[in-house]
Amino acid sequence: MTAAPAAPKARRQRHDREIITLAVPAFGALVAEPLFVMVDSAIVGHLGTPQLAGLAVASALLMTAVSIFVFLAYATTAAVARRVGAGDLAAAIRQGMDGIWLALLLGVAVIAVTLPTAPWLVQLFGASDTAAPYATTYLRISSLGIPAMLIVLAATGVLRGLQDTRTPLYVAIGGFAANAALNVALVYGAGFGIAGSAWGTVIAQCAMAAAYLVVVVRGARRHGASLRPDAAGIRASAQAGVPLLIRTLSLRAVLMIATAVAARLGDTEIAAHQIVLSLWSLMAFALDAIAIAGQAIIGRYLGADDAEGAQQACRRMVQWGVASGVVLGIVIVASRPLLLPLFTTDQAVHSTLLPALLVVAVSQPIAGVVFVLDGVLMGAGDGSYLAGAMLVTLAVFAPVALLIPTFGGGLTALWWAMTLMMTVRMLTLWLRMRSGRWLVTGATR
């Protein structure tokens, strides 16, 4: 009679171990990306407010150029994990190699578009006359590192699908350390200013891509997977990523609209927005560590035809997401006196960003649910639903955000609009999770 309740407890413990094993290293790797931006923001912020405002616009554009292709990591993780669950490691790595070749091709194409259009893109974002030259310089130099960034995304997806989040952690630590050292040396030591910050980031990203390639190539040779580009495989990887591309473009549109609105509020507001956005991104990537675990775990369960295990893991990860969001919100509130001086000494910027930062803190539990369910559905290969849900979210957010300058709501109102966006995402993802329609088993969806 007393043994029956032990089964659910044992399952929870097993899921907890899986989540911790994958999520803790994934957290370190995920936060490297916003930490790159935060280091740049902290170093460039002490050059002056126009430089920080320029960095804000250029960073938003650069992250958009890279992040719209985040499907290289997410779709690859799900596809590789399903094949791992089905017991076919050679096919899993072959799938990943197709993604890496696709990443290289896309990276070259993005450079070709970004370099000649950089001044126009900066102007489109509403950068002031004082900030625009700095934004253009940073964007043009940093765009040279885009192929390396996309290769990092694809190779990371391969390793996550193989249930390895430790290697990405080690590479991320090395990349972050190199980026910080290079930024200080080039910005202040060599006196290159904002251009030095951009070059430091490019060099660090290229080194990270090289490290990933060494690891993936070794794995491919060990399991007998071909390294040659396969046109059919590359096309299949691109087609599988289309729904996630739509989802990501919609999300990036939300962030672009937010930055454009902040830029039109003034240099002080856009500088404050850059700091809040950097911290928001850091919290988002921290929560996404559980989602990354979800992609790998859910994909593996479904590949092994275990729908019940996938459903149980999903429920447990949602609980983890809510708890993590509460903790992160408390950390933001408690650490704000220490955080603000790290980025700028401008008291006007401090006064503007403080209430917006409190809004971010309040919204973290909502974000916890959003990122976990996003990861679960990605792991299930449910990209079509994710695309539609994000388009609905964009349709709700855009008119609210664009009206803020008209009604004089300021930066705090803009971040309440961001909270509305996250709430809509939570509702749409929760409905899908409850329906069970994402539970499709097999080595391929």
Side-chain angles (χ1 to χ4, degrees), residues 398-414:
V400 175
L402 292 173
L403 286 173
I404 287 172
T406 301
F407 290 97
L411 189 65
T412 302
L414 176 60

Side-chain angles (χ1 to χ4, degrees), residues 51 76 146 185 193 228 263:
Q51 287 90 335
T76 302
I146 288 175
R228 295 180 180 180

Side-chain angles (χ1 to χ4, degrees), residues 27 165 208-209:
F27 170 76
T165 56
M208 291 174 67

Side-chain angles (χ1 to χ4, degrees), residues 290-318:
I290 306 172
I292 294 301
Q295 291 175 33
I297 293 169
I298 296 298
R300 192 187 76 237
Y301 273 120
L302 294 178
D305 295 325
D306 187 357
E308 183 181 355
Q311 202 164 27
Q312 292 169 355
C314 172
R315 287 195 292 267
R316 190 59 176 164
M317 283 183 282
V318 168

